[in-house]
Amino acid sequence: MTQELLLEQLGNERLSPVDKGIPARAFGLTVKDFLASEPRLSEFWTPIVALDDSAIKGNLDLMAQWCSSRGLKLMPHGKTTMAPELWQRQLDAGCTGITLATMGQVRTARTFGLDSIMLANAVVDERSLRYLAAELADPEFRFLCWADSVATIKVMERALRAAGTPRPVDVCVELGAPDGRTGARTVAEAVEVARYAAASDVIRLAGVGGYEGSLGHDRSAEALDAVRSYLQRQVQLHQELGGLYDDGEIYVTAGGSAYFDVVAEVYGAAMINDQHTLWTLRSGAYITHDDGFYRCISPLDEGMPEDLPGSEKLRPAIWGLARVVSHPESGLALIDGGKRDFPFDEGLPIPRQVSDELGSEWMQLDGASILAMNDQHSYLGLTGQDVGIGAVVSLGLSHPCTTFDKWHYLPMVASRDSDHVVGLIRTFF
């Protein structure tokens, strides 16, 4: 079955009371029929997280142009959304594949017909490797994963030989950094892993991978220097592996959603004399961006280099809505959304606007902040205007990667200033 038909099947799923936030009149309807009834965001129960279709489109176009102008490929991290409909929009915008983090996510993606997948992780579970060997019987399926030790390669070899893999698995050697996440700690160690992979009958050496985002958490000179130094070691490793590569596709890949400009800078210098390699970003959060961590650090927002004033920016395309349910004392209100509904790991939600009970008349909410969060409530501190019981608060959110996983369906409106729901984005976490 084609990917288009599989995505169309999502429109035939029936909505029910177990779908958080869905209006009662939608129960029993298919997603397609509900959307045909022209639903309104103000119909949805609070708490809810919503998406802005026009901002998503703008973000997709901007990132595609940014990468194309620098000669970079983009295989965005699909774990951000785990939403096949949004993956397809990324592919339609020119992405060469989707990156995932677990073999369970790979299985979901294959179920929806994706045929170009990077696993930014190692595969060492025998069951997953048997599954992978079976999937590789599809000649159209392009897959690569990472390995950071000879031990990893040996585990893969045993399982793949036992499964009778129809072709070798493409593997990028992962370079890490001291006190970082996974990855060989030195270039010399990574070279040894590459030599072992290149000599294997069931593994094909396919390049160099790694993640620079764990080396910094801001735009300080120290963080940028650490990221740049790491990326330069990645390029050094790639150059040292030149004699081990075959004539197939070769990747060098990095690029979270915070420092992809530094990746482009370092890779750009190496690309001048190396046009064969697929220099690939994996940035994933750009599709919705956010109103917190990525807004402050992204090179296509407030983290933009100072010599690029006025350049086009990514737009936050995701926000939360929660209702005031208690006003127990002056300066404090409680809203009906908490950690089960909104992200909190990269900064608490940011109160932006407040409306009446119907959510139809919005005004700026000044002097307000989220002081703390419980599972199902957030503490809304008020130092300026007051809010009434039943009022709806619009919240800027930080870190889409820990937002989508809390929702089965996310309503998508035509634009931020529209109440017209044009889509229900289904997630698979």
Side-chain angles (χ1 to χ4, degrees):
M1 187 177 293
T2 66
Q3 187 172 352
E4 290 74 14
L5 288 175
L6 287 164
L7 289 173
E8 186 177 336
Q9 285 187 352
L10 294 179
N12 294 323
E13 290 189 346
R14 293 196 178 273
L15 301 168
S16 78
V18 304
D19 296 317
K20 186 167 70 170
I22 298 295
R25 74 174 182 85
F27 300 161
L29 296 178
T30 65
V31 170
K32 186 186 304 181
D33 288 342
F34 177 54
L35 293 175
S37 72
E38 299 188 349
R40 301 290 169 178
L41 183 59
S42 51
E43 294 183 68
F44 284 69
W45 289 25
T46 57
I48 197 72
V49 166
L51 302 173
D52 178 340
D53 185 41
S54 66
I56 287 175
K57 183 181 185 306
N59 291 344
L60 289 169
D61 291 345
L62 176 58
M63 194 64 174
Q65 294 165 6
W66 194 93
C67 290
S68 178
S69 68
R70 291 159 176 78
L72 295 170
K73 306 297 182 183
L74 179 59
M75 294 184 73
H77 232 312
K79 70 175 177 62
T80 298
T81 66
M82 282 305 295
E85 185 176 343
L86 296 182
W87 294 345
Q88 187 60 53
R89 291 183 65 168
Q90 290 173 304
L91 294 169
D92 291 343
C95 295
T96 57
I98 296 295
T99 297
L100 296 165
T102 70
M103 282 300 293
Q105 292 174 0
V106 170
R107 186 167 62 180
T108 297
R110 287 295 287 163
T111 300
F112 280 92
L114 265 70
D115 58 9
S116 179
I117 296 173
M118 180 190 301
L119 178 70
N121 209 337
V123 192
V124 295
D125 173 51
E126 181 182 351
R127 290 157 294 190
S128 296
L129 287 161
R130 285 200 305 267
Y131 166 82
L132 177 59
E135 291 298 298
L136 290 173
D138 177 359
E140 301 300 318
F141 181 33
R142 181 174 65 169
F143 175 87
L144 68 157
C145 61
W146 296 1
D148 65 0
S149 69
V150 170
T152 301
I153 300 295
K154 288 181 176 179
V155 169
M156 294 183 68
E157 285 182 319
R158 285 195 298 269
L160 290 170
R161 286 170 184 151
T165 183
R167 54 190 167 101
V169 175
D170 284 0
V171 171
C172 287
V173 176
E174 182 187 0
L175 182 67
D179 301 320
R181 204 165 66 175
T182 51
R185 288 324 200 217
T186 67
V187 170
E189 290 174 6
V191 170
E192 288 306 308
V193 179
R195 285 177 178 155
Y196 197 91
S200 175
D201 59 326
V202 290
I203 301 292
R204 174 182 169 270
L205 179 62
V208 173
Y211 175 58
E212 78 292 344
S214 62
L215 303 178
H217 208 71
D218 54 33
R219 281 262 157 185
S220 66
E222 181 181 14
L224 294 176
D225 286 346
V227 169
R228 187 174 290 107
S229 175
Y230 166 75
L231 294 166
Q232 289 167 343
R233 290 193 300 118
Q234 252 201 342
V235 171
Q236 176 192 348
L237 172 60
H238 171 58
Q239 292 170 343
E240 291 193 21
L241 301 186
L244 297 175
Y245 292 140
D246 60 19
D247 294 332
E249 290 183 337
I250 301 298
Y251 294 79
V252 177
T253 176
S257 297
Y259 303 111
F260 54 84
D261 58 323
V262 186
V263 178
E265 170 199 325
V266 175
Y267 282 9
M271 289 166 61
I272 296 173
N273 298 316
D274 185 352
Q275 298 298 315
H276 173 68
T277 299
L278 299 171
W279 301 87
T280 304
L281 292 182
R282 303 188 312 277
S283 314
Y286 75 92
I287 187 170
T288 61
H289 198 41
D290 73 5
D291 201 15
F293 176 69
Y294 286 120
R295 171 176 56 83
C296 295
I297 202 170
S298 170
L300 290 178
D301 204 322
E302 293 182 15
M304 186 176 292
E306 294 181 2
D307 60 345
L308 294 174
S311 297
E312 191 174 355
K313 296 182 179 181
L314 296 169
R315 294 160 53 196
I318 189 168
W319 73 100
L321 296 168
R323 193 174 301 273
V324 177
V325 294
S326 175
H327 204 331
E329 60 187 63
S330 177
L332 176 66
L334 277 294
I335 56 177
D336 65 356
K339 293 179 179 179
R340 296 272 173 82
D341 312 293
F342 308 129
F344 56 92
D345 59 312
E346 291 288 0
L348 300 182
I350 306 167
R352 293 299 190 191
Q353 293 180 302
V354 63
S355 82
D356 55 24
E357 293 181 25
L358 297 178
S360 56
E361 297 291 334
W362 291 93
M363 61 181 177
Q364 198 71 20
L365 181 57
D366 298 318
S369 62
I370 298 298
L371 305 175
M373 298 176 75
N374 294 153
D375 289 347
Q376 310 291 179
H377 295 90
S378 293
Y379 295 71
L380 179 64
L382 302 164
T383 60
Q385 66 202 85
D386 211 347
V387 296
I389 299 293
V392 178
V393 178
S394 174
L395 300 163
L397 302 178
S398 179
H399 201 199
C401 300
T402 51
T403 305
F404 279 86
D405 63 303
K406 296 171 172 57
W407 295 90
H408 192 191
Y409 286 106
L410 292 88
M412 181 169 63
V413 294
S415 64
R416 187 63 181 267
D417 57 0
S418 169
D419 195 39
H420 181 205
V421 175
V422 296
L424 281 180
I425 301 301
R426 172 79 150 86
T427 65
F428 291 85
F429 284 94

